[in-house]
Amino acid sequence: MANIGVRTRLLDRLVRLSPPALLASLYLIVILLGAALLSLPFANTGGVSIYDALFTSTSAVTVTGLVVVSTGQDFTLIGQVVIALLIQFGGLGLMTFAVFVLSAIGVKIGLGQRLILREDLNQSSIGDLIKLVRVILVVALTCEAGGAVLLLAVFVPDLGWAEGTWYAIFHAISAFNNAGFGLDDQSLIPWAAHPLINFVIPLLFIVGGLGFVVLADIYDSRNWRQLSLHTKIMLYGSVCLILIGWLTFALLEWTNPATLGELNLWGKITASWFQAVTPRTAGFNTINTGEMHDATALMTMTLMLIGGGSTSTAGGIKVTTAIVLVLATIAFFRKSTELNAFGRSLGLEEVMKVLALTVVSILIVFVALFVVSITHDGTFLTLAFEVVSAFGTVGLSMGATGDLDTVGRAMIMVVMFLGRVGPLTLGFFLATHSVARVRYPKGRVYLG
Amino acid sequence: MANIGVRTRLLDRLVRLSPPALLASLYLIVILLGAALLSLPFANTGGVSIYDALFTSTSAVTVTGLVVVSTGQDFTLIGQVVIALLIQFGGLGLMTFAVFVLSAIGVKIGLGQRLILREDLNQSSIGDLIKLVRVILVVALTCEAGGAVLLLAVFVPDLGWAEGTWYAIFHAISAFNNAGFGLDDQSLIPWAAHPLINFVIPLLFIVGGLGFVVLADIYDSRNWRQLSLHTKIMLYGSVCLILIGWLTFALLEWTNPATLGELNLWGKITASWFQAVTPRTAGFNTINTGEMHDATALMTMTLMLIGGGSTSTAGGIKVTTAIVLVLATIAFFRKSTELNAFGRSLGLEEVMKVLALTVVSILIVFVALFVVSITHDGTFLTLAFEVVSAFGTVGLSMGATGDLDTVGRAMIMVVMFLGRVGPLTLGFFLATHSVARVRYPKGRVYLG
Ligand SMILES: [K+]
Ligand SMILES: [K+]
């Protein structure tokens, strides 16, 4: 009886948490469960420690894809199925949760409004939310099933029906959820030139990374003009980022013998396409990431930081955040009274949000890089790359993660978790819900 | 006659420029004049090309202190006097100008107010401004003279009266203006343990780096409560940054044989004090910067980016900007309606300004680092350090600047110039003065 009482009180307390705190707690619980499962004898082939299992579980639930052991070699089929399920939960779980959390955070929090998140949630009808979640699940499973069928044509000829089918399913799930986990230790390098790999995999992770809000809006709208501001910014921003990344990658690496140099023209074009889309934030690679020039690594890190869309399976500060940052800067220098985009205005509270999100993101990356560089004597750039990859839940690696010691790996795990649960969510989680009651006289500071 | 006509029209156009444009133009003209002087035969000992002279002049006028030739060896006494004058102009010129520009920019630009800077300037009485400029000059020359007299005790015993006196004067000017130029190729390493070096030089560059607004306020006020918000933030922020930097540097480098390891306790304490204050943004060093751990370099880069105070001889995004960034983030997560500090409130337009300044700064550093890392195959960290040092007009170097090719050096020159003239000023310079006339309906985007 006492036991049940404790359990009820725990459950009670869990339910009473604000959505961000609930989300973080759920993720943590699933990560621990996943680690426990992955460290069981039937899940791995023997060489996986509890730390490795915890790292793998964190990487899977946060859909990052950084690894310290080989997914294909060190885990049994059961272990791989567990990883796929963790990825599915991590990707869709957040997508689903994002609808709850962001509809609460994104809409109603204006400066000067006193509110507690749960009050907002109660205002939305539960029926609507359940419908939304159902739509999310249908979209995800349809995309993954379609992707898996197409990928059969890639993997079955190489690996036979049994293994080929599992490869197709695993990679489709991993791709749609922007997880970046592969079964081959070389990621997708062995199939770098295959047209379907360069088409199906990116299509899956781009669609998964646009975000549910965008997909629903495109489904509902008949033409460009009907689309919401958010959708327009996302589509426009994604196309720009892809084109810039594609062109820059090709230009910088064209003659690098370790990346594009040895490929023919078609190979150069497709490989740079793939390398331009994967940092936001799929994490697969068809060339050796560690061999890129420093300038290319820097560009890739920027793309990883920006990431994909809100309410999506992608990480990063999000395309909309980056664009509002730029719009706000331009507006300030133009002494404009408001931010405008596609004939819609954005309030100043969006600027506050963008600023807060950017500051928290920079702080997380900085502190993590600081800690990792104290405890590990690796090349600074590869460490920075690894931390940014973890924060953006990207999973691309220049090779440092495997070499890190326990402290370094623990730091990467924390960063993956924060990167996934979201800096904004973290902030709400940590913050006290206070409202200024005293109005102070106006002060002035000189800046810049 | 035609010639005079052209000249008058040029002068006429120059005067009609907005203050930021005027400032940038003046800096450019002085840099070019300085480069011409430094490349003349009587100014250098023979090994200084016109590019070297241009780099040195840019570094001096922007009070950065990065060098590609030896200030003590490659320039004659006349050349060194020219450099000291360029530093004096660069430091005080901006300090003086900052009073004009910031009193225009800082005060009156609110969102939604239509204004052109010159209109504001005309509203201030010319008499006040001339008085301000006179006070600035008196403060500067008094500090420099006092510093030079004290530094005689350091340099005269080592170098004799003639050379020792010149060293004292040069270093006093260089220190107060946060220029970081030294006459010895090892900066201040030969005098690392001298108490006066660890006291007088930092005192000069800290006072010079607080900013004229703060100095005038401290002079006018009798106690802490009377001080303005800006002064309180500057003093509080500077003390925090110094203590954090001091402690962190000592902890990280305590056992590093190439930096603090070989020193005795007093040497460790004074050297880490010096290394903690110099990144903001003096640029002298008493230990070998290139031998620091990566984590220490990362912390130093952060301090270099933050820099000193507005209307000072220091660079960086400024202490107030960094603090408002943090305050705005905290305020957002607390859902506070306004930013408060020391019982004063800050408007949302400050947040816009801080955001714009931060975005422009990050863009400048990113683009420069990208370009430099394309053209130069150095270690990424040392290149990043060099770019940040140039942007913050710090002058600390891990050794890469000397190795850069022409493109890399040109990029560093551009960054020093932008870092000095100010990202904010640059923005005003580039921006068109438009005001939104159409009010768009409100849109919504999801962020984070
Ligand atoms: K990923
Ligand atoms: K300097």
Side-chain angles (χ1 to χ4, degrees), chain B residues 9-296:
Chain B
R9 250 178 291 147
L10 266 177
L11 202 70
D12 199 43
R13 191 174 285 182
L14 202 64
V15 171
R16 260 197 244 147
L17 287 171
S18 66
L22 185 59
L23 176 69
S25 311
L26 271 181
Y27 263 62
L28 208 57
I29 291 168
V30 175
I31 286 172
L32 294 174
L33 277 177
L37 282 174
L38 289 177
S39 58
L40 291 177
F42 58 77
N44 67 69
T45 54
V48 178
S49 74
I50 178 74
Y51 294 113
D52 298 337
L54 187 60
F55 192 96
T56 308
S57 178
T58 307
S59 186
V61 173
T62 61
V63 293
T64 304
L66 288 171
V67 289
V68 289
V69 291
S70 163
T71 313
Q73 306 293 316
D74 293 329
F75 290 103
T76 61
L77 181 62
I78 295 181
Q80 292 167 12
V81 170
V82 169
I83 291 175
L85 290 175
L86 292 175
I87 289 171
Q88 191 72 283
F89 171 85
L92 297 191
L94 193 107
M95 232 173 147
T96 314
F97 248 95
V99 174
F100 285 92
V101 175
L102 286 175
S103 69
I105 294 178
V107 184
K108 294 287 173 56
I109 284 183
L111 291 165
Q113 272 180 284
R114 173 171 197 170
L115 42 80
I116 289 151
L117 289 172
R118 287 200 304 134
E119 294 176 4
D120 282 285
L121 267 190
N122 291 345
Q123 285 167 15
S124 348
S125 87
I126 293 295
D128 272 5
L129 288 174
I130 289 172
K131 197 177 131 204
L132 280 177
V133 172
R134 200 187 296 149
V135 175
I136 290 176
L137 289 176
V138 169
V139 169
L141 294 177
T142 309
C143 288
E144 287 172 4
V149 169
L150 289 170
L151 288 175
L152 285 176
V154 180
F155 295 117
V156 169
D158 280 11
L159 305 162
W161 275 103
E163 201 176 1
T165 308
W166 175 233
Y167 263 60
I169 295 172
F170 187 91
H171 283 90
I173 292 176
S174 183
F176 182 78
N177 290 295
N178 275 271
F181 273 87
L183 292 174
D184 191 284
D185 288 350
Q186 287 200 282
S187 188
L188 298 171
I189 294 179
W191 301 275
H194 201 297
L196 274 179
I197 284 291
N198 283 293
F199 174 71
V200 176
I201 298 268
L203 192 69
L204 282 173
F205 63 63
I206 289 173
V207 168
L210 279 174
F212 175 72
V213 173
V214 173
L215 299 182
D217 192 28
I218 293 175
Y219 184 81
D220 285 343
S221 305
R222 289 288 153 256
N223 57 49
W224 174 261
R225 291 198 54 193
Q226 283 190 338
L227 293 173
S228 74
L229 173 65
H230 178 81
T231 303
K232 284 177 183 164
I233 289 184
M234 269 307 299
L235 293 178
Y236 184 80
S238 297
V239 169
C240 283
L241 286 173
I242 289 172
L243 291 182
I244 292 171
W246 195 356
L247 193 71
T248 316
F249 191 92
L251 284 176
L252 292 173
E253 298 291 326
W254 198 262
T255 57
N256 183 347
T259 58
L260 298 182
E262 305 287 301
L263 303 174
N264 60 21
L265 183 65
W266 171 250
K268 283 178 162 131
I269 292 172
T270 51
S272 43
W273 145 262
F274 197 95
Q275 252 29 61
V277 285
T278 191
R280 311 175 34 252
T281 58
F284 297 104
N285 52 299
T286 58
I287 63 129
N288 190 337
T289 311
E291 297 291 340
M292 297 190 301
H293 289 307
D294 289 359
T296 320

Side-chain angles (χ1 to χ4, degrees), chain A residues 116-173:
Chain A
I116 289 153
L117 288 174
R118 287 200 304 134
E119 294 176 5
D120 282 285
L121 267 190
N122 290 343
Q123 285 167 16
S124 345
S125 85
I126 293 294
D128 271 6
L129 288 174
I130 289 172
K131 197 177 132 204
L132 280 178
V133 172
R134 199 186 297 149
V135 175
I136 289 176
L137 289 177
V138 169
V139 169
L141 293 177
T142 310
C143 287
E144 288 171 4
V149 169
L150 289 171
L151 288 176
L152 286 176
V154 181
F155 294 116
V156 169
D158 280 12
L159 305 163
W161 274 103
E163 199 174 3
T165 307
W166 175 232
Y167 263 62
I169 294 172
F170 188 91
H171 283 90
I173 293 175

Side-chain angles (χ1 to χ4, degrees), chain A residues 367-392:
Chain A
V367 170
L369 183 53
F370 187 69
V371 171
V372 173
S373 70
I374 289 176
T375 58
H376 185 76
D377 266 342
T379 316
F380 185 79
L381 178 62
T382 64
L383 292 182
F385 194 91
E386 234 64 13
V387 169
V388 170
S389 179
F391 176 74

Side-chain angles (χ1 to χ4, degrees), chain A residues 340-388:
Chain A
N340 299 316
F342 297 112
R344 287 282 179 282
S345 76
L346 290 165
L348 271 182
E349 63 269 41
E350 308 291 336
V351 176
M352 286 286 279
K353 210 182 288 179
V354 155
L355 183 137
L357 185 62
T358 308
V359 170
V360 172
S361 303
I362 290 174
L363 274 183
I364 291 174
V365 169
F366 172 80
V367 170
L369 183 53
F370 187 69
V371 171
V372 173
S373 70
I374 289 176
T375 58
H376 185 76
D377 266 342
T379 316
F380 185 79
L381 178 62
T382 64
L383 292 182
F385 194 91
E386 234 64 13
V387 169
V388 170

Side-chain angles (χ1 to χ4, degrees), chain A residues 112 302 320 334 337 345 366 434 443 446, chain B residues 112 320 334 337 345 434 441 443 446:
Chain A
T302 312
T320 40
R334 284 181 168 269
T337 48
S345 76
F366 172 80
S434 75
Y446 298 86
Chain B
T320 41
R334 284 179 168 272
T337 47
S345 76
S434 74
Y446 297 86

Side-chain angles (χ1 to χ4, degrees), chain A residues 76-403:
Chain A
T76 61
L77 181 62
I78 294 179
Q80 292 168 11
V81 171
V82 170
I83 292 175
L85 289 175
L86 292 175
I87 289 171
Q88 190 73 282
F89 171 86
L92 295 193
L94 193 108
M95 232 173 146
T96 314
F97 249 93
V99 174
F100 286 91
V101 175
L102 285 175
S103 69
I105 294 178
V107 184
K108 292 288 174 52
I109 284 181
L111 291 163
Q113 272 180 281
R114 173 173 197 168
L115 42 82
I116 289 153
L117 288 174
R118 287 200 304 134
E119 294 176 5
D120 282 285
L121 267 190
N122 290 343
Q123 285 167 16
S124 345
S125 85
I126 293 294
D128 271 6
L129 288 174
I130 289 172
K131 197 177 132 204
L132 280 178
V133 172
R134 199 186 297 149
V135 175
I136 289 176
L137 289 177
V138 169
V139 169
L141 293 177
T142 310
C143 287
E144 288 171 4
V149 169
L150 289 171
L151 288 176
L152 286 176
V154 181
F155 294 116
V156 169
D158 280 12
L159 305 163
W161 274 103
E163 199 174 3
T165 307
W166 175 232
Y167 263 62
I169 294 172
F170 188 91
H171 283 90
I173 293 175
S174 184
F176 182 78
N177 290 296
N178 273 270
F181 273 87
L183 293 175
D184 192 282
D185 289 350
Q186 288 200 282
S187 187
L188 298 171
I189 294 179
W191 301 276
H194 201 297
L196 273 180
I197 286 290
N198 284 295
F199 174 71
V200 176
I201 299 268
L203 192 68
L204 283 172
F205 65 62
I206 289 173
V207 169
L210 278 175
F212 175 73
V213 173
V214 173
L215 299 183
D217 192 27
I218 292 176
Y219 183 81
D220 286 343
S221 306
R222 290 286 153 258
N223 57 48
W224 174 260
R225 291 198 54 193
Q226 283 189 338
L227 293 173
S228 74
L229 173 64
H230 179 81
T231 304
K232 284 178 185 165
I233 289 184
M234 270 307 300
L235 293 177
Y236 184 80
S238 298
V239 169
C240 283
L241 287 172
I242 288 172
L243 291 180
I244 292 170
W246 195 357
L247 193 70
T248 317
F249 191 93
L251 284 176
L252 291 174
E253 298 291 327
W254 198 263
T255 57
N256 184 347
T259 57
L260 297 184
E262 306 287 301
L263 304 174
N264 60 21
L265 183 65
W266 172 249
K268 283 179 159 115
I269 292 172
T270 51
S272 43
W273 145 262
F274 197 95
Q275 251 29 59
V277 285
T278 190
R280 309 175 38 251
T281 59
F284 298 104
N285 51 298
T286 58
I287 63 128
N288 189 337
T289 311
E291 298 290 341
M292 296 191 302
H293 288 307
D294 289 0
T296 319
L298 185 63
M299 183 198 69
T300 304
M301 283 165 69
T302 312
L303 292 175
M304 295 199 293
L305 269 180
I306 295 175
S310 290
T311 72
S312 83
T313 59
I317 63 167
K318 306 296 181 297
V319 174
T320 40
T321 309
I323 288 183
V324 172
L325 268 181
V326 174
L327 289 179
T329 305
I330 294 172
F332 173 72
F333 284 127
R334 284 181 168 269
K335 295 166 205 69
S336 175
T337 48
E338 44 179 33
L339 310 187
N340 299 316
F342 297 112
R344 287 282 179 282
S345 76
L346 290 165
L348 271 182
E349 63 269 41
E350 308 291 336
V351 176
M352 286 286 279
K353 210 182 288 179
V354 155
L355 183 137
L357 185 62
T358 308
V359 170
V360 172
S361 303
I362 290 174
L363 274 183
I364 291 174
V365 169
F366 172 80
V367 170
L369 183 53
F370 187 69
V371 171
V372 173
S373 70
I374 289 176
T375 58
H376 185 76
D377 266 342
T379 316
F380 185 79
L381 178 62
T382 64
L383 292 182
F385 194 91
E386 234 64 13
V387 169
V388 170
S389 179
F391 176 74
T393 69
V394 182
L396 289 174
S397 170
M398 292 181 83
T401 294
D403 299 337

